[in-house]
Amino acid sequence: MAADSGPESGPSLEAAEFRALYERVRRDARAGTAGRGALDDIAAATVREAAREVRTGRTVTLAAAVESVPGPDNPDACCHRMTGAVAGEIGTGLQFARDRFAMNVHGDADSHIDALCHVVYDGTLHGGVSADTLTTDGAEALSIDVARNGIVGRGVLLDIPRLRGVPWLEPGDHVTGEDLAAAETAQHIEVGEGDLLFVRVGHPRRRAELGAWNTAKARAGLHPTAMTFLADRGVAVLGGDGNNDTAPSSVDGVGFPVHVLGVHAMGLHLLDYLQFEGLVLLCEEEDRWSFLCVIAPLRLPGATGSPVNPIAIV
C-alpha cells in the first residue's frame, strides 16, 4: 500500500462549472440508446471476453445483508414478517413457512441498483425522456425492467483506501479522477470500455467497526469531476460501497451530482451500498482485480430500482 496521502476533499463547483461538466460527460460518454443507456456498451462479444476472467470458479457476493432493524442511517428499515408457520403455532401435517418483505429500495443501507428513471433533472429523465412518464402506477419508460435479462460483464474493483494506506475513507472525503487512475496503476489493471466499475471507499468496514451514523449528512464518495474518468473509459455500470455521492455535496444546489452525471447524463445504472470486503480478500489472494460479474435485478416492471445481489466470479 502507498503511504497515507490524507483526504482528497476536491474543489467545490459553481453552478456553471457543474453544467459544463454535465455537458462534457453527456457528450463524451459512449451511452447507447435512450432506452438502455450505457448497457448497450456491453455487447455479446464483451460478455464472451469477460467470461475469460473466470479461472478458479470462486464466487463472492457484493451485496450487504438486508437489514430489518432501524438505525441512524436506515430509519426506514426493511419490514420482514413471517406469515406462515412459526414456533408455537406448528401443528401436525403439512405447513409452509412464508415471508413478506416491505422496503425502501433507495435507502442508505441496503444494496440496490438505480434504474435510468430514478434521477429527474430539469424536468427530464436520461436521454431527454419526459418526467411525465413517472406515474403513480410506475415508470412508463427507463424502468429497471430494461435490465431484465441481467447485466453481465468484466468487473473491475478499484480500492481507494488500499491506495491511500488506510482502512476506509472518512465521511466527507472525495475520490478524484486522479485517485482512480492511481489505483489502476497500483493494482496493475486498466478500466476499459463496457466494464462494470466498482469503487471501494470502505463504508461498510467503518460502519462495522465504529457503528452506523447519519450518512445523509456525511459520507465518502466520488467527486463529480471523477466522472470524466468513467466517460473517457466508456464504463457501462458504476457500483460503490457507499452512495457513490459524497455528503455534503460539492455542488451548490445539487445534492447528488454523481447520480445526475452518471444516471441522467451518461445513462449508467448505479449500484449503491454494496460491500467489497470479501471481494478484496479474494482479489488479494488471486493477485488480480478483475472478474466476471453477474447482476440480476428483480423483475419489477415500472420500478425505479431493485434490491440486488451482484456476484463476482474469479
Side-chain angles (χ1 to χ4, degrees):
M1 295 185 181
D4 181 5
S5 58
E8 295 287 342
S9 60
S12 297
L13 298 179
E14 301 292 338
E17 293 175 310
F18 180 73
R19 175 58 66 175
L21 177 60
Y22 175 95
E23 295 298 337
R24 196 275 210 202
V25 297
R26 183 182 65 83
R27 181 185 68 247
D28 293 348
R30 292 182 275 274
T33 65
R36 284 175 43 85
L39 292 186
D40 281 345
D41 285 336
I42 310 175
T46 306
V47 176
R48 290 196 301 270
E49 186 62 29
R52 296 174 181 267
E53 295 292 331
V54 180
R55 301 175 192 173
T56 67
R58 301 171 72 185
T59 64
V60 63
T61 178
L62 307 187
V66 174
E67 298 186 4
S68 57
V69 178
D73 58 346
N74 194 25
D76 188 16
C78 174
C79 179
H80 177 206
R81 292 289 181 268
M82 297 293 287
T83 60
V86 294
E89 301 177 9
I90 300 175
T92 60
L94 175 64
Q95 293 180 277
F96 293 98
R98 301 187 304 274
D99 311 74
R100 176 175 289 118
F101 293 88
M103 66 186 301
N104 171 19
V105 171
H106 299 285
D108 287 328
D110 297 323
S111 302
H112 63 271
I113 182 171
D114 294 338
L116 298 181
C117 62
H118 177 50
V119 176
V120 183
Y121 185 61
D122 287 344
T124 67
L125 309 179
H126 169 66
V129 173
S130 172
D132 290 341
T133 55
L134 299 173
T135 75
T136 54
D137 294 323
E140 296 174 345
L142 305 180
S143 79
I144 196 60
D145 199 50
V146 307
R148 60 186 173 273
N149 294 322
I151 303 171
V152 181
R154 187 181 83 137
V156 175
L157 176 65
L158 296 183
D159 189 340
I160 307 306
R162 184 176 190 271
L163 173 74
R164 297 190 191 172
V166 295
W168 55 70
L169 303 191
E170 290 295 339
D173 201 353
H174 289 277
V175 176
T176 67
E178 290 76 13
D179 283 326
L180 298 177
E184 276 187 316
T185 300
Q187 296 174 211
H188 308 290
I189 189 71
E190 184 172 340
V191 178
E193 184 171 355
D195 280 348
L196 319 181
L197 176 61
F198 299 98
V199 180
R200 179 177 178 266
V201 299
H203 176 103
R205 180 173 173 184
R206 186 183 194 278
R207 187 175 187 261
E209 295 189 18
L210 301 183
W213 69 96
N214 186 349
T215 56
K217 293 189 176 296
R219 60 179 180 267
L222 272 66
H223 192 270
T225 56
M227 298 303 285
T228 61
F229 176 96
L230 280 72
D232 291 343
R233 301 303 179 88
V235 166
V237 169
L238 171 63
D241 58 348
N243 178 264
N244 285 300
D245 262 296
T246 306
S249 172
S250 59
V251 181
D252 188 32
V254 181
F256 297 85
V258 168
H259 278 66
V260 172
L261 297 173
V263 178
H264 195 279
M266 300 169 63
L268 298 177
H269 284 75
L270 265 58
L271 288 85
D272 298 328
Y273 294 104
L274 303 177
Q275 63 85 19
F276 302 135
E277 302 312 303
L279 178 61
V280 167
L281 294 176
L282 195 54
C283 287
E284 288 179 339
E285 288 178 15
E286 299 293 332
D287 193 27
R288 58 192 180 95
W289 298 87
S290 59
F291 43 89
L292 178 66
C293 187
V294 179
I295 303 169
L298 299 179
R299 291 296 307 274
L300 299 171
T304 63
S306 169
V308 72
N309 180 20
I311 302 297
I313 311 167
V314 177

